[in-house]
Amino acid sequence: MKTQLILVEGLPGSGKSTVARLVSEILAEKGIKAQLFLEGNAEHPADYDGVSFYRQDEFDQLLLDHEGCKEILESRAVKHGSDFLIPYRKMKDELGSDFPDELLQEIFAKDIYELPFDQHVRLLTEKWNFFKEDKIHRNSVHIFECCFIQNPLTIGTVKYNVQKEEVIHYVLLLEEIVKSLNPFVIYVDQKDIRSTFEKAINERPKEWSDGFIEYYTNQGFGKMQGYCGVDGTVQVLQERKSIELEIFNLLKINKQKIDNSQFDIEKCKEELKDILSVL
């Protein structure tokens, strides 16, 4: 199998996770070794989840401000050039109450997905380059959910409302980085954005929907447009999908859209089998 990277994209609730798992299942049935990384995986080789970025002077100040946690911070912070990465989510999972909530919230404020857009892009493109160059990753197919198109749109448009061209440039830069891995993009399409989002609201915890609506309407594009509630969130999602499809059409790597509007798993699996048979 020449393809070393499969990228599954689509709007929230479209069925990305299901499709990514089906791809992994189909490859396993074909005897192809694959590694699946869903959204939120703290061990993701090309993305960051629950990781904050500190310059040397900022890290030194953090140690001074939290002397009681100095040993914990020094032992778990990862040197990144002259700077530091702090995997705070893994630290909280491991340490529990020994990792104070006050410190957690302070470190979260410098999460890589909370940084200014340009700084975020620099760190993420570095990470994708590390993944591309790491020969350890070459002995299996990697399946990534949402980090190739969704995440750039989330921070670029939803959070900061940067110019559309900047977001497009970001994704095309990632495309250039990974093209030697012969990547394949699967875009999971949904024809009715509102019903898809409402279905996700009904199926997921209220904390998820409340947080999602807050994120999509109280900053960036949604805030500029004065959107609010479910209706406003759907409008932001419509804008996001419009840009996503524009990016999808610009991509020069292998790609395929699948219509998952019916949420028919068996039909979807058969379609995926056909798609993957030519890779």
Side-chain angles (χ1 to χ4, degrees):
M1 188 172 186
K2 294 180 181 180
T3 295
Q4 295 175 289
L5 179 61
I6 297 175
L7 303 158
V8 181
E9 295 290 337
L11 292 184
S14 61
K16 295 190 304 296
S17 298
T18 298
V19 167
R21 290 189 181 97
L22 287 174
V23 169
S24 180
E25 182 181 312
I26 291 166
L27 294 183
E29 291 170 357
K30 292 162 67 74
I32 298 171
K33 183 180 178 182
Q35 296 189 55
L36 172 62
F37 292 88
L38 298 176
E39 182 176 10
N41 190 320
E43 305 297 334
H44 202 293
D47 196 16
Y48 290 109
D49 189 271
V51 179
S52 288
F53 173 81
Y54 276 76
R55 297 193 310 268
Q56 177 73 63
D57 60 320
E58 294 171 332
F59 185 67
D60 291 342
Q61 187 62 51
L62 184 71
L63 297 179
L64 288 173
D65 293 342
H66 299 275
E67 290 187 5
C69 295
K70 182 177 180 180
E71 184 178 341
I72 290 173
L73 291 168
E74 288 184 323
S75 64
R76 287 168 173 80
V78 178
K79 192 74 172 171
H80 184 80
S82 59
D83 305 309
F84 292 88
L85 300 175
I86 303 180
Y88 65 86
R89 187 162 71 83
K90 289 198 293 186
M91 291 170 64
K92 185 62 177 179
D93 290 344
E94 177 187 345
L95 298 169
S97 59
D98 290 334
F99 189 45
D101 287 339
E102 179 185 355
L103 176 57
L104 175 66
Q105 291 305 313
E106 182 175 340
I107 294 174
F108 167 76
K110 292 184 67 61
D111 185 286
I112 288 173
Y113 279 88
E114 297 293 321
L115 296 176
F117 183 70
D118 290 346
Q119 190 176 16
H120 166 88
V121 171
R122 177 178 66 81
L123 289 167
L124 263 294
T125 51
E126 285 177 0
K127 182 86 182 241
W128 279 87
N129 267 307
F130 291 150
F131 166 70
K132 180 194 70 173
E133 297 296 336
D134 192 344
K135 299 299 188 294
I136 295 174
H137 297 313
R138 299 298 182 87
N139 60 358
S140 66
V141 177
H142 281 65
I143 306 162
F144 292 167
E145 178 208 5
C146 86
C147 61
F148 181 68
I149 297 177
Q150 172 181 287
N151 289 359
L153 263 292
T154 298
I155 188 168
T157 301
V158 179
K159 184 172 181 61
Y160 290 124
N161 193 32
V162 301
Q163 293 294 313
K164 179 178 68 173
E165 290 73 20
E166 293 184 68
V167 179
I168 292 174
H169 175 74
Y170 180 11
V171 180
L172 295 183
L173 182 58
L174 297 183
E175 177 190 30
E176 182 66 23
I177 291 171
V178 300
K179 68 179 183 181
S180 64
L181 303 178
N182 193 29
F184 189 86
V185 177
I186 299 173
Y187 189 87
V188 186
D189 198 10
Q190 289 284 345
K191 300 305 182 186
D192 189 332
I193 295 175
R194 174 175 292 277
S195 65
T196 299
F197 183 56
E198 290 177 346
K199 181 175 184 293
I201 290 175
N202 291 331
E203 293 177 347
R204 300 183 185 186
K206 187 175 186 298
E207 293 77 11
W208 177 87
S209 58
D210 288 348
F212 193 95
I213 292 169
E214 170 82 12
Y215 192 94
Y216 266 61
T217 60
N218 283 347
Q219 57 185 346
F221 180 78
K223 184 175 182 179
M224 186 194 75
Q225 298 293 333
Y227 293 153
C228 62
V230 172
D231 289 344
T233 304
V234 170
Q235 289 176 296
V236 181
L237 286 169
Q238 288 172 337
E239 174 66 13
R240 180 184 140 180
K241 182 177 180 180
S242 174
I243 301 174
E244 286 186 353
L245 293 180
E246 183 173 347
I247 291 171
F248 182 84
N249 290 332
L250 288 170
L251 294 173
K252 295 182 174 62
I253 55 180
N254 291 327
K255 58 192 177 183
Q256 181 75 46
K257 268 194 287 188
I258 63 171
D259 185 351
N260 192 39
S261 298
Q262 302 303 314
F263 293 99
D264 186 331
I265 291 180
E266 291 306 315
K267 179 183 176 183
C268 185
K269 185 172 182 178
E270 290 305 312
E271 188 172 351
L272 288 169
K273 285 180 178 179
D274 288 340
I275 291 171
L276 297 172
S277 67
V278 302
L279 298 185

